[in-house]
Amino acid sequence: MTRRARIIYNPTSGREAIRRDLVDILNVYEMAGYETSAFATTAEPKSAEKEARRAAEAGFELLIAAGGDGTINEVVNGIAPLATRPRLAIIPSGTTNDYARALAIPRDNPLEAAKLILAGQTAKMDVGRANDTYFINIAAGGSLTELTYQVPSKLKSMYGYLAYVVKGAELLTHVQPIDVRIEYDEGSYEGTASMFFLALTNSVGGFEQIVPDARLDDGKFTLLIVKTTKFSDMLGLIGEVLAGGRHVENENLIYVKSKQVKIEALNDSAKISINLDGEYGGDVPMVFQNYQQHIEMVANIAGMADDTLLSEPLKLPE
């Protein structure tokens, strides 16, 4: 029986790198034993999500999300609610490519990323759910967490990571406090914060040490609550992150693991927006749940640290 794969790609992502290599990428998946076709996303809302769901329901065994973190997020949202989910491969071509970084997938060469299918190794990865929306890397709220969707798409394409650096430097001097109640498995926090994160991987905004002990399949979020709003304290935390993850012991930070998190504003009139995988994901109140080992993904197992996964990697069927 012929196996089928569907490439869902963003034709404008990453300076259109995917489009240039598309024929060679198709050939790679054909070599791996898949009858492979491609779908270019459009400006229609949730274009990638709708195609992912259609392909999954049509019986495709493998989907390939080719683009930035936003494209990957849409594809995941297309298949995560389904009882039977296809395997997922990733070809990064966006700006930060946080999820690809976590899976040790080549981020500057789409063809090499595609060739990981030839190694035939996969891992079952955790997926987060925020109310009715799924995410694979991060959920966050607070001033600086609005960074990714405040940078215009055109600037992301033209200047890449530099666009984030410039915008981040601008926002850092204007951090505003938020009053929140955050409930997690073993406790709660009620008070003022500058931002909070729920991370599924170790890569947040291109920084790999924000969650130095991340596990990709343990069924738990890493919750970080930054309690300080002082500019000097924020710089100190950033310095500790860059110094190898020493921030996890900082008194201005709560750092815990949790399967479920509930977040609400203490002030009913306050609006706290949530960033899901770099895009606007709605406002609190919001309940987050971790779906352990929910989607099987092609990964560069050899390039990942030994303690990244709790379970043993899987092999693709011959």
Side-chain angles (χ1 to χ4, degrees):
M1 182 176 175
T2 302
R3 292 180 293 170
R4 293 183 297 164
R6 185 71 157 165
I7 299 174
I8 301 172
Y9 73 99
N10 183 345
T12 64
S13 180
R15 303 182 179 91
E16 304 184 358
I18 295 293
R19 179 183 288 177
R20 293 194 301 268
D21 293 331
L22 186 57
V23 172
D24 291 333
I25 289 171
L26 285 164
N27 286 336
V28 167
Y29 289 102
E30 293 281 347
M31 289 171 54
Y34 292 90
E35 183 180 287
T36 309
S37 55
F39 171 85
T41 61
T42 68
E44 178 189 2
K46 299 184 177 182
S47 171
E49 179 179 333
K50 293 175 182 177
E51 174 59 18
R53 179 183 290 268
R54 186 207 65 79
E57 292 176 341
F60 281 75
E61 290 86 352
L62 175 69
L63 299 186
I64 302 100
D69 290 331
T71 301
I72 298 168
N73 175 278
E74 279 200 36
V75 171
V76 167
N77 271 277
I79 65 175
L82 303 178
T84 301
R85 299 172 294 277
R87 295 181 181 89
L88 180 61
I90 293 169
I91 300 178
S93 67
T95 306
T96 53
N97 296 312
D98 273 321
Y99 202 68
R101 188 188 303 269
L103 297 182
I105 296 172
R107 302 188 305 279
D108 55 359
N109 190 322
L111 186 56
E112 289 303 310
K115 288 179 180 178
L116 286 179
I117 192 69
L118 301 176
Q121 288 190 304
T122 65
K124 288 188 175 181
M125 310 296 290
D126 292 352
V127 173
R129 183 176 177 179
N131 288 355
D132 295 324
T133 303
Y134 295 85
F135 62 102
I136 54 170
N137 192 60
I138 186 173
S143 298
L144 287 181
T145 61
E146 299 173 0
L147 170 62
T148 49
Y149 52 84
Q150 284 195 11
V151 177
S153 297
K154 186 175 182 180
L155 289 181
K156 293 178 188 178
S157 298
M158 292 175 61
Y159 301 110
Y161 195 66
L162 179 60
Y164 289 102
V165 173
V166 172
K167 189 64 178 180
E170 174 189 332
L171 290 177
L172 189 60
T173 59
H174 301 285
V175 172
Q176 297 296 318
I178 53 176
D179 294 320
V180 294
R181 177 175 176 81
I182 302 177
E183 300 177 5
Y184 45 93
D185 289 351
E186 298 181 1
S188 64
Y189 172 77
E190 186 171 313
T192 299
S194 59
M195 67 187 77
F196 53 83
F197 299 92
L198 287 83
L200 285 157
T201 77
N202 69 330
S203 185
V204 179
F207 292 98
E208 296 186 18
Q209 288 298 323
I210 289 182
V211 187
D213 59 350
R215 302 291 180 271
L216 306 182
D217 61 349
D218 65 353
K220 294 182 179 181
F221 299 114
T222 302
L223 171 64
L224 299 89
I225 306 171
V226 180
K227 296 183 288 183
T228 182
T229 58
K230 293 182 180 179
F231 181 72
S232 58
D233 290 340
M234 302 285 285
L235 288 178
L237 278 168
I238 293 172
E240 290 180 352
V241 169
L242 297 175
R246 297 206 312 263
H247 62 292
V248 299
E249 302 294 337
N250 192 296
E251 63 181 7
N252 290 312
L253 183 74
I254 293 176
Y255 187 97
V256 296
K257 305 290 182 177
S258 187
K259 293 181 179 180
Q260 181 168 306
V261 177
K262 180 180 179 181
I263 300 176
E264 56 188 352
L266 291 179
N267 183 347
D268 291 339
S269 64
K271 177 181 177 181
I272 301 176
S273 299
I274 298 298
N275 177 330
L276 297 178
D277 291 341
E279 304 292 336
Y280 172 68
D283 303 326
V284 302
M286 197 168 284
V287 175
F288 303 85
Q289 294 177 293
N290 189 301
Y291 286 60
Q292 186 173 16
Q293 300 182 18
H294 193 62
I295 294 180
E296 185 178 347
M297 298 191 181
V298 177
N300 181 13
I301 302 298
M304 297 166 65
D306 293 339
D307 58 354
T308 303
L309 299 172
L310 292 181
S311 58
E312 290 296 319
L314 304 174
K315 291 287 291 183
L316 288 170
E318 299 293 335

